């Protein structure tokens, strides 16, 4: 169902390191799960799917970008959670 | 003094606290003693908070303020808003403080004041450790209160500790916790269920009077079923997700676990409501639901229930439960829900897709575990490789697969459409029945380590995922027992937004199933 190369590709996309043993095991497990969920392909859903139901389920809506809190109010709390910090910055390895 | 925890409910404890039979501190001490005795074996709690006694004392102070005599014309304003002013012509004045007015007072003091609760390790309590039972959140402290927690603090509840669960709520047995499995209080060789296994075990073993869990595909109901307690997954949005560590955002619900339906409802009423921080949260219309058992039509999707993987004892117990309901006066009708055969596949596409997206935030930069790599990308790979356990990584890979451009249409888009069909199927069925019944899980609790293959654990979710996919409320109540003495659960589902009807039906079922005969 999935090749070892596909598992490696997915792991790279998802930023997850896998050992060689894990790659083998995941190839088997993920393959079996994907095979199971492939049964969804038999579901008789048309090109547009089922007509909408009322009431529709609530969906996530971004709030208006208004009413900001005063600057710096949560800075210390949030920075304190960071594993690596320098002054009021989170420290990371160079990007470029 | 000794408090009988075995038969204690929130309702009884509340009455006793209000009457002054014992203090919130004594109640908390009783639970701490039970935890000290049992938690080593069961591993329900990952942490017992060190300030439980202080929290209980604060509750006692509020109770004492309530008990102090009223001066003439003074009004009580504790907890809820009712006015308890006595007429000045009352010759007895304020003397019969604890008896005559106790029931009236119950409506005034929050029913959760001083009640000891357990909280699943994926719900944030400001300043306390929280980690979704994952190594990747090692050391992390919550920077704010979940909406549900803020409401419980307001009500004066006492938090005993944080409970074990499957890592990021991914699993049905807590075997995926990075901190060891939670054992079933009815048989310590078996799992407590999951993912909210610690919460269900804590309630079942009298290590908490009630608890919060979260339910993305059955994570409140299945452990409740395995441990012989009540677990509610509310309508999607009924309880704000603010402060719940995200798994599948279109499926996640915080839900209460308790010993009785009435207790479950008390906790649910305390935590639900519209929250500006979660745009999917809704204010439920809860009318006084007066459901009579003789007016109750229970729909049973026979073909769906009698699936090949179902345990014989579970099926027999389910039939016995239905028979008792029938004897009590309810009508049981067979219904067809053909689309439900795709529910599990649909769930195991949508949930990992959402999980892989949600879990992208754990990068070793902002909080939690950090592991060094050769460069920034190396940091990510090492942190996520080491921080996430096998099941979490598995689901992230599946989610990444079904969302990748080559497979998106074949899996994710198709699953979204199947989801609409399943919702439609259920909505049609609810035109003719009040509730739909199934067993909660196809088997009783399995042995620790028995299921090696992840897919076999997924199949245990067959009856529970449907409610999450459709967004409808569902509850598990204790049914009978297996020959080996393991609890079996009965699941009831109601239409979206009809949580009050669901709880009324569950209370009727509870009475019918457990009436002493």
């Amino acid at each position: 169902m999935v090749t070892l190369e596909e598992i490696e590709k997915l792991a790279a996309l998802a930023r997850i390191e896998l050992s060689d043993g894990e790659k083998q095991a995941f190839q088997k497990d993920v393959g079996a799960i994907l095979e199971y969920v492939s049964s969804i392909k038999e579901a008789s859903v048309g090109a547009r799917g089922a007509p909408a139901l009322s009431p529709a389920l609530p969906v996530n809506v971004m709030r208006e970008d208004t009413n900001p809190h005063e600057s710096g109010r949560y800075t210390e709390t949030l920075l304190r959670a960071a594993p690596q910090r320098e002054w009021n910055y989170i420290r990371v390895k160079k990007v470029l | 003094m000794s408090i009988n925890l075995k038969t204690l409910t929130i309702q009884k404890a509340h009455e006793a606290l209000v009457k002054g039979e014992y203090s919130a501190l004594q109640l908390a001490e009783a639970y701490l003693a039970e935890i000290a005795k049992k938690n080593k074996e069961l591993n329900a709690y990952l942490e017992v908070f060190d300030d439980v006694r202080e929290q209980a004392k604060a509750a006692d102070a509020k109770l004492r303020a309530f008990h102090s005599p009223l001066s003439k014309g003074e009004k009580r304003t504790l907890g809820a808003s009712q006015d308890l002013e006595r007429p000045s012509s009352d010759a007895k004045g304020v003397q019969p403080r604890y008896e005559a007015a106790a029931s009236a007072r119950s409506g005034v003091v929050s029913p959760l004041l001083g009640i000891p609760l357990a909280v699943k390790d994926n719900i944030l309590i400001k300043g306390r450790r929280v980690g979704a039972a994952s190594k990747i959140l090692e050391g992390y402290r919550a920077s704010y209160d979940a909406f549900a927690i803020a409401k419980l603090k307001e009500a004066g509840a006492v938090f005993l500790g944080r409970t074990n669960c499957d890592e990021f709520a991914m699993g049905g047995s807590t075997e995926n916790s990075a901190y060891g499995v939670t054992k079933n209080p009815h048989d310590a060789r078996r799992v407590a269920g999951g993912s909210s296994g610690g919460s269900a075990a804590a309630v079942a073993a009298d290590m908490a009077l009630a608890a919060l869990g979260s339910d993305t595909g059955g994570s409140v109901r299945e452990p409740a079923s395995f441990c012989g307690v009540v677990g509610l997954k509310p309508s999607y949005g009924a309880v704000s997700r603010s402060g719940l560590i995200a798994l599948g955002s279109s499926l996640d619900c915080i839900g209460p676990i308790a010993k009785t339906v009435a207790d479950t409802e008390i906790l649910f009423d305390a935590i639900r409501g519209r929250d500006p921080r979660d745009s999917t949260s809704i204010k439920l219309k809860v009318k006084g639901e007066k459901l009579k058992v003789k007016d109750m039509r229970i729909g049973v999707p026979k073909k769906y229930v009698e699936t090949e993987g179902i345990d014989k004892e579970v099926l027999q117990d389910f039939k016995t439960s239905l028979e008792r309901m029938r004897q009590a006066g309810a009508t049981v009708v067979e219904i067809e829900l053909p689309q439900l055969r795709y529910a599990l596949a649909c769930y195991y596409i949508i949930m990992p897709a959402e999980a892989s997206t949600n879990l992208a935030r754990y990068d070793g930069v902002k909080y939690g575990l950090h592991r060094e790599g050769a460069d920034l990308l190396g940091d990510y790979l090492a942190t996520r490789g080491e921080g996430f356990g096998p099941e979490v990584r598995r689901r992230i890979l599946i989610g990444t697969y079904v969302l990748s451009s080559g497979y998106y249409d074949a899996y994710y888009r198709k699953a979204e459409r199947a989801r609409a069909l399943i919702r439609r199927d259920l909505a049609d069925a609810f035109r003719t029945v009040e509730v739909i019944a199934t067993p909660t899980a196809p088997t009783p609790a399995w042995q620790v380590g028995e299921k090696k293959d992840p897919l076999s654990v997924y199949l245990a979710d067959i009856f529970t995922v449907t409610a999450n996919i459709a967004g409808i409320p569902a509850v598990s109540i204790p049914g009978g027992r297996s020959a080996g003495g393991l609890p079996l659960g009965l699941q009831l589902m109601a239409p979206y937004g009809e949580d009050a009807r669901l709880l009324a039906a569950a209370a009727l079922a509870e009475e019918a199933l457990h009436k002493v005969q």
Side-chain angles (χ1 to χ4, degrees):
Chain A
M1 184 82 199
V2 275
T3 63
L4 209 56
E5 290 69 44
E6 278 182 298
I7 291 290
E8 284 170 349
K9 178 87 189 297
L10 291 171
L13 284 170
R15 306 282 187 263
I16 287 173
E17 202 168 67
L18 296 177
S19 70
D20 286 340
E22 284 174 329
K23 283 178 200 166
Q24 306 272 349
F26 277 31
Q27 186 193 0
K28 184 172 146 283
D29 295 343
V30 170
I33 294 160
L34 288 173
E35 195 177 314
Y36 177 79
V37 301
S38 289
S39 65
I40 200 79
K41 291 176 184 165
E42 297 156 22
S44 52
V45 297
R48 299 201 347 221
L53 264 188
S54 171
L57 282 182
V59 291
N60 219 20
V61 179
M62 297 292 238
R63 71 170 168 81
E64 289 299 310
D65 191 8
T66 54
N67 299 325
H69 55 77
E70 69 271 26
S71 176
R73 186 166 161 197
Y74 302 109
T75 307
E76 186 51 37
T77 311
L78 296 176
L79 279 170
R80 235 185 354 236
Q84 295 184 317
R85 174 181 180 178
E86 206 171 295
W87 297 81
N88 264 1
Y89 300 96
I90 287 173
R91 194 187 154 89
V92 292
K93 293 199 172 75
K94 74 172 192 243
V95 178
L96 292 172
Chain B
M1 81 160 292
S2 116
I3 305 168
N4 185 355
L5 300 184
K6 204 91 246 126
T7 58
L8 196 64
T9 61
I10 295 179
Q11 284 179 309
K12 287 186 198 170
H14 172 63
E15 240 167 76
L17 289 171
V18 170
K19 285 184 187 166
E21 284 171 15
Y22 45 76
S23 67
L25 180 61
Q26 285 170 313
L27 183 61
E29 296 273 11
Y31 279 102
L32 289 173
E34 224 44 38
I35 294 168
K37 251 191 287 178
K38 295 175 181 164
N39 196 53
K40 202 162 180 208
E41 185 188 16
L42 297 179
N43 195 31
Y45 284 94
L46 294 177
E47 178 187 0
V48 179
F49 298 139
D50 57 10
D51 65 343
V52 171
R53 288 175 183 83
E54 282 68 39
Q55 294 180 57
K57 283 178 193 165
D60 278 329
K62 287 185 194 166
L63 281 160
R64 262 196 308 279
F66 186 73
H67 283 157
S68 65
L70 281 170
S71 55
K72 214 170 167 182
E74 186 191 353
K75 291 177 187 174
R76 297 288 188 205
T77 51
L78 242 176
S81 56
Q82 260 175 28
D83 185 356
L84 247 204
E85 188 184 6
R86 288 173 170 279
S88 54
S89 60
D90 187 348
K92 283 182 282 185
V94 293
Q95 277 312 302
R97 285 208 301 278
Y98 303 133
E99 290 83 24
S103 59
R105 281 165 192 236
S106 298
V108 178
V109 189
S110 156
L112 289 171
L113 180 58
I115 300 296
L117 303 176
V119 178
K120 186 177 181 180
D121 189 33
N122 63 352
I123 300 172
L124 274 57
I125 309 179
K126 191 176 178 177
R128 297 192 196 269
R129 276 279 294 119
V130 62
S134 177
K135 294 277 181 208
I136 210 160
L137 276 165
E138 200 98 305
Y140 177 69
R141 283 183 185 276
S143 55
Y144 64 102
D145 278 329
F147 180 79
I149 293 296
K151 300 266 274 185
L152 291 176
K153 280 185 174 176
E154 218 173 280
V158 172
F159 302 122
L160 292 166
R162 61 189 169 99
T163 51
N164 199 11
C165 55
D166 286 292
E167 185 177 358
F168 286 100
M170 296 183 189
S173 64
T174 73
E175 289 173 292
N176 296 328
S177 165
Y179 303 96
V181 63
T182 296
K183 310 284 178 55
N184 192 309
H186 298 273
D187 178 351
R189 290 165 304 176
R190 292 179 184 269
V191 300
S195 67
S196 313
S199 287
V203 175
D206 296 317
M207 296 194 283
L209 192 40
L212 289 187
S214 67
D215 192 312
T216 305
S219 282
V220 160
R221 289 161 286 156
E222 187 243 29
S225 166
F226 282 8
C227 291
V229 292
V230 180
L232 169 70
K233 178 215 109 61
S235 287
Y236 181 71
V239 181
S240 165
R241 288 180 292 110
S242 172
L244 170 66
I245 294 177
L247 167 53
S249 297
S250 75
L251 306 155
D252 292 344
C253 295
I254 291 179
I257 296 172
K259 288 199 271 192
T260 64
V261 173
D263 278 5
T264 305
E265 187 160 16
I266 290 172
L267 195 48
F268 176 51
D269 278 341
I271 60 174
R272 61 186 172 79
R274 167 95 185 115
D275 172 16
R277 289 197 182 87
D278 175 2
S279 67
T280 63
S281 67
I282 50 164
K283 188 173 190 295
L284 279 182
K285 288 186 211 90
V286 185
K287 304 168 290 236
E289 187 73 30
K290 296 269 193 297
L291 186 64
K292 288 191 189 121
V293 72
K294 64 174 173 50
D295 299 329
M296 192 159 104
R297 285 159 304 174
I298 304 170
V300 178
K302 193 158 175 281
K303 276 190 205 139
Y304 173 58
V305 168
E306 292 179 6
T307 156
E308 57 183 288
I310 190 160
D311 178 277
K312 277 199 197 92
E313 284 185 295
V314 169
L315 191 57
Q316 188 48 51
D317 181 67
F318 177 62
K319 287 178 177 167
T320 305
S321 295
L322 293 176
E323 189 47 41
R324 294 232 169 125
M325 296 292 294
R326 208 181 276 127
Q327 280 166 11
T331 311
V332 178
V333 293
E334 213 177 290
I335 54 170
E336 295 273 338
L337 292 166
Q339 302 297 341
L340 261 54
R341 66 178 181 277
Y342 300 114
L344 199 61
C346 175
Y347 175 77
Y348 276 99
I349 293 168
I350 290 172
M351 176 273 301
E354 294 184 0
S356 70
T357 313
N358 275 325
L359 271 61
R361 74 189 69 172
Y362 303 101
D363 54 7
V365 171
K366 298 184 286 290
Y367 37 66
L369 184 82
H370 175 85
R371 285 287 174 267
E372 289 289 326
D375 49 19
L376 185 59
L377 180 62
D379 285 5
Y380 295 154
L381 290 168
T383 301
R384 290 166 62 83
E386 198 181 317
F388 289 137
E391 178 61 15
V392 175
R393 283 179 288 155
R394 204 150 35 222
R395 292 200 195 184
I396 290 174
L397 294 190
I398 292 164
T400 307
Y401 183 91
V402 300
L403 290 177
S404 59
S405 59
Y407 298 107
Y408 185 89
D409 284 338
Y411 289 93
Y412 188 73
R413 198 185 296 277
K414 197 100 184 184
E416 280 287 301
R417 290 192 182 141
R419 185 177 194 174
L421 289 178
I422 291 165
R423 285 195 67 211
R424 166 70 63 186
D425 231 16
L426 286 159
D428 287 345
F430 281 125
R431 285 203 203 115
T432 54
V433 296
E434 272 69 44
V435 290
I436 293 173
T438 70
T440 307
T443 67
W446 56 84
Q447 295 204 10
V448 173
E450 181 186 332
K451 297 203 181 202
K452 304 261 183 265
D453 153 39
L455 190 56
S456 68
V457 182
Y458 293 3
L459 296 175
D461 300 340
I462 181 107
F463 299 131
T464 46
V465 294
T466 305
N468 302 78
I469 288 172
I472 62 175
V475 65
S476 175
I477 65 167
R481 299 244 171 168
S482 72
L486 296 169
L488 304 170
L490 171 71
Q491 175 177 245
L492 298 175
M493 297 181 264
Y496 173 70
E498 298 287 352
D499 301 56
R501 180 204 298 178
L502 178 71
L503 287 164
L508 292 171
E510 185 181 50
E511 202 189 323
L513 265 47
H514 301 287
K515 195 163 53 184
V516 184
Q517 296 192 331

